[in-house]
Amino acid sequence: MKANVTVNKSFVIDKIDKRIYGSFIEHLGRAVYNGIYQPEHESADDMGFRQDVLELVKELDVPAVRYPGGNFVSGYNWEDGIGDKSKRPRKIDLAWHSIEPNEVGIHEFAEWAKRANTDVIMAVNLGTRGADEARALVEYCNCNTDTYYANLRRENGRDKPFSYKTWCLGNEMDGPWQIGHKTAEEYGRLAHETAKIMKWVDPGIELVACGSSNYNMATFGEWEYTVLSHCYNEVEYISMHQYYSNADNDAANFLARSVHMDAFIKSVAAICDAVKAKKHSKKTINLSFDEWNIWYHGNGPKFTPLTVGSPLFQEIYNFEDALLVGSMLITLQNNCDRVKIACMAQLVNVLAPIITENDGGAWAQTIYYPYLLSSLNGRGRTLKSVVDCETYTSKDKFTVPYLDVSVVENDERRELVVFAVNRSLDEEMEISLEIGGYEGAKIISHTEIYADDLKCENSAEAQNVAPRDVEITEDAVRYNTVTLKKHSWNMIKLTY
């Protein structure tokens, strides 16, 4: 099979906001307790954070982490996680039927984020609480004033503000499963009033309104339109959430899910622009795809209710999952004109690229590697790619190119980075790169992630799915051509 990719320096989609390589840590399962935080572990530092986990997170160069939820935030009182640890209440978390000891709260997570070299995207509780608690939290985190909540932060050991820039106005408020579930009218009004006074406390923050919990919600579209009709002027983003499954074991259809993701993004952007037109606004609402991943295996350890740090949604991922994650990252790159924030959900143990053993080490799942290489090398501007290749039709009637590709220009490094997935389950693919506007551009490296077995998994003992360097031939350098193995993820670098 052959394919042709044409790009030109003059045709740019947009600059990539580094936050599209963000992630998510919720007080859920083993994400926090027995995940990032395990004071009794041999690798624990002075704060109880596992250093082996920190090293894997730092290697990813995660720019931002959404916290503390998720469904958890809709029943969370942030005051429970500040002050003397010995006096913090143990509470039942109704979202995940667990016990929350509140050993990790605002100050502890801020310190973890600092040690992980990442920023925090903070979420406020609009399920059981509202505008008053949200504005108090903004004052506590961001204000340098001589006022009650700012002084309370100082009393708890933090003189300087945390200065969090990005805030989420609740989580999945359209979901009947959500604590404090609301109609679009109810949430839109609450989001408007909450956003208004949060910005009165700190005018420099930016806000994310809740979009639909997923594309298949009965209220999708109408929800976004109604919510934004209320709070358009007060927010900068609307959220998107989507998980994909291969429960029917159809690899070709599974690998086509990123085409669905692309259509979902464009649909939400169109709704935002419809509200913009209705309001005669000059402002553009962008997208925060702050939950995305693969979720269906159910192959992790058993959950024990009403305990601390029991495993929940601890998916063990395989090679075909890594291929789709790679394509989803390509989709985010190709939509960087509207998607400014994206969070792989989650980061550690829960639907995660990183798994820990309570009495052992931490290791990288298959999905860790396309995330790693995209984060480290996908910084810059995405170029518009014109792709000529064969296609197939997915079960939901999408036309799916066998080649999924993005091209990112990193002018500082004088590199073009091509991220490419060959979706064909049977054939290798020879791709020709037509590069315009970059005189002397030539291929210098080719990295691939490949396994013959689509169900191949990683473990603590064996990293069966991991990147490997591919030898560059003379023809590849001379003609800017490269061959991709069947069902493979690839990164090709060119210098100019």
Side-chain angles (χ1 to χ4, degrees):
M1 187 182 300
K2 292 189 176 182
N4 190 78
V5 179
T6 303
V7 296
N8 190 287
K9 188 179 181 70
S10 298
F11 297 96
V12 177
I13 295 174
D14 207 346
K15 182 179 179 180
I16 292 173
D17 188 316
K18 67 180 182 179
R19 293 176 297 173
I20 72 165
Y21 304 115
S23 195
F24 178 28
I25 287 181
E26 180 173 0
H27 284 245
L28 157 60
R30 297 176 65 245
V32 175
Y33 306 108
N34 296 325
I36 67 169
Y37 176 79
Q38 192 177 354
E40 69 277 11
H41 193 269
E42 63 181 7
S43 76
D45 62 18
D46 61 305
M47 291 282 290
F49 300 126
R50 285 185 55 156
Q51 295 181 75
D52 54 352
V53 175
L54 278 168
E55 289 307 311
L56 284 168
V57 173
K58 286 192 289 186
E59 189 177 350
L60 287 168
D61 194 13
V62 181
V65 177
R66 180 170 166 245
Y67 175 84
N71 292 355
F72 172 82
V73 78
S74 292
Y76 180 53
N77 297 341
W78 63 267
E79 301 93 333
D80 293 342
I82 61 174
D84 186 343
K85 278 191 183 184
S86 67
K87 296 179 181 178
R88 296 181 191 176
R90 288 172 63 90
K91 289 191 173 181
I92 296 174
D93 166 32
L94 296 177
W96 303 116
H97 204 47
S98 302
I99 298 297
E100 174 54 56
N102 285 303
E103 291 180 29
V104 174
I106 291 173
H107 290 257
E108 289 80 16
F109 193 77
E111 182 59 30
W112 179 85
K114 178 182 177 182
R115 296 181 187 197
N117 298 330
T118 190
D119 291 328
V120 176
I121 297 172
M122 183 64 77
V124 301
N125 176 358
L126 293 188
T128 60
R129 310 189 88 183
D132 190 47
E133 292 85 3
R135 63 99 180 171
L137 181 57
V138 174
E139 180 187 323
Y140 187 90
C141 290
N142 283 18
C143 287
N144 203 25
T145 51
D146 181 14
T147 50
Y148 178 80
Y149 288 105
N151 286 333
L152 182 60
R153 182 195 67 242
R154 294 184 182 99
E155 289 175 19
N156 289 328
R158 174 84 180 202
D159 182 48
K160 293 183 179 179
F162 298 107
S163 300
Y164 294 142
K165 174 74 172 177
T166 308
W167 295 71
C168 300
L169 297 171
N171 175 76
E172 294 185 356
M173 299 308 301
D174 63 329
W177 59 85
Q178 197 71 208
I179 300 170
H181 162 64
K182 292 171 174 59
T183 66
E185 288 285 346
E186 290 169 338
Y187 173 72
R189 286 286 302 130
L190 177 59
H192 167 81
E193 293 300 325
T194 304
K196 184 173 68 178
I197 66 170
M198 286 173 72
K199 286 191 170 181
W200 286 351
V201 176
D202 183 354
I205 61 175
E206 56 181 21
L207 301 174
V208 183
C210 286
S212 295
S213 301
N214 61 73
Y215 183 83
N216 296 320
M217 294 296 293
T219 54
F220 169 67
E222 181 183 352
W223 172 275
E224 280 81 358
Y225 190 85
T226 301
V227 167
L228 286 177
S229 293
H230 284 291
C231 65
Y232 193 94
N233 293 331
E234 287 73 40
V235 304
E236 283 67 43
Y237 309 94
I238 193 161
S239 72
M240 301 176 64
H241 292 178
Q242 189 67 47
Y243 299 90
Y244 291 110
S245 162
N246 190 19
D248 57 0
N249 197 28
D250 184 337
N253 197 62
F254 181 58
L255 297 182
R257 296 295 74 202
S258 57
V259 178
H260 177 279
M261 183 187 194
D262 182 74
F264 183 22
I265 289 169
K266 289 176 169 56
S267 295
V268 177
I271 296 166
C272 293
D273 292 344
V275 181
K276 176 181 180 178
K278 182 182 81 166
K279 289 183 171 291
H280 306 285
S281 176
K282 300 293 190 294
K283 174 182 176 180
T284 296
I285 297 293
N286 286 314
L287 311 180
S288 175
F289 212 133
D290 49 38
E291 285 189 35
W292 68 269
N293 208 335
I294 293 150
W295 186 359
Y296 72 98
H297 293 287
N299 53 8
K302 186 178 179 181
F303 170 68
T304 304
L306 294 178
T307 58
V308 178
S310 182
L312 193 59
F313 311 136
Q314 194 163 301
E315 300 273 84
I316 302 301
Y317 291 113
N318 60 32
F319 173 56
E320 67 184 355
D321 298 326
L323 289 177
L324 181 55
V325 163
S327 276
M328 293 170 84
L329 286 158
I330 286 170
T331 301
L332 293 171
Q333 291 164 343
N334 282 331
N335 286 280
C336 68
D337 55 331
R338 296 306 292 266
V339 180
K340 302 301 180 182
I341 302 169
C343 302
M344 176 188 273
Q346 295 189 17
L347 187 56
V348 181
N349 287 330
V350 178
L351 308 173
I354 299 168
I355 293 290
T356 71
E357 306 291 343
N358 282 349
D359 300 317
W363 51 277
Q365 294 228 65
T366 61
I367 65 172
Y368 180 91
Y369 292 107
Y371 181 21
L372 169 73
L373 293 174
S374 297
S375 175
L376 296 185
N377 298 282
R379 311 287 177 105
R381 305 192 304 169
T382 305
L383 303 180
K384 175 68 176 175
S385 302
V386 179
V387 180
D388 182 13
C389 71
E390 295 180 39
T391 63
Y392 65 98
T393 304
S394 66
K395 285 183 177 179
D396 44 5
K397 308 305 180 184
F398 283 101
T399 299
V400 184
Y402 279 103
L403 177 64
D404 194 11
V405 67
S406 61
V407 182
V408 178
E409 174 207 78
N410 187 320
D411 204 40
E412 289 183 6
R413 300 180 185 175
R414 296 192 63 79
E415 283 182 350
L416 295 178
V417 184
V418 180
F419 298 99
V421 173
N422 179 5
R423 290 188 176 106
S424 174
L425 303 178
D426 308 303
E427 295 184 45
E428 66 179 22
M429 179 185 294
E430 180 184 292
I431 64 171
S432 298
L433 303 172
E434 303 292 335
I435 310 296
Y438 299 92
E439 187 174 350
K442 62 180 181 180
I443 293 175
I444 56 170
S445 69
H446 177 189
T447 303
E448 71 175 12
I449 302 175
Y450 174 80
D452 196 53
D453 180 7
L454 286 169
K455 307 300 184 184
C456 187
E457 299 172 350
N458 288 353
S459 67
E461 292 74 34
Q463 293 286 286
N464 298 310
V465 178
R468 61 177 290 272
D469 292 331
V470 178
E471 184 179 356
I472 303 297
T473 66
E474 290 184 10
D475 280 352
V477 175
R478 185 177 301 150
Y479 302 114
N480 281 338
T481 61
V482 66
T483 299
L484 313 182
K485 289 181 180 174
K486 64 179 182 179
H487 55 68
S488 63
W489 180 95
N490 302 264
M491 180 180 71
I492 300 107
K493 288 187 177 182
L494 300 90
T495 188
Y496 60 88

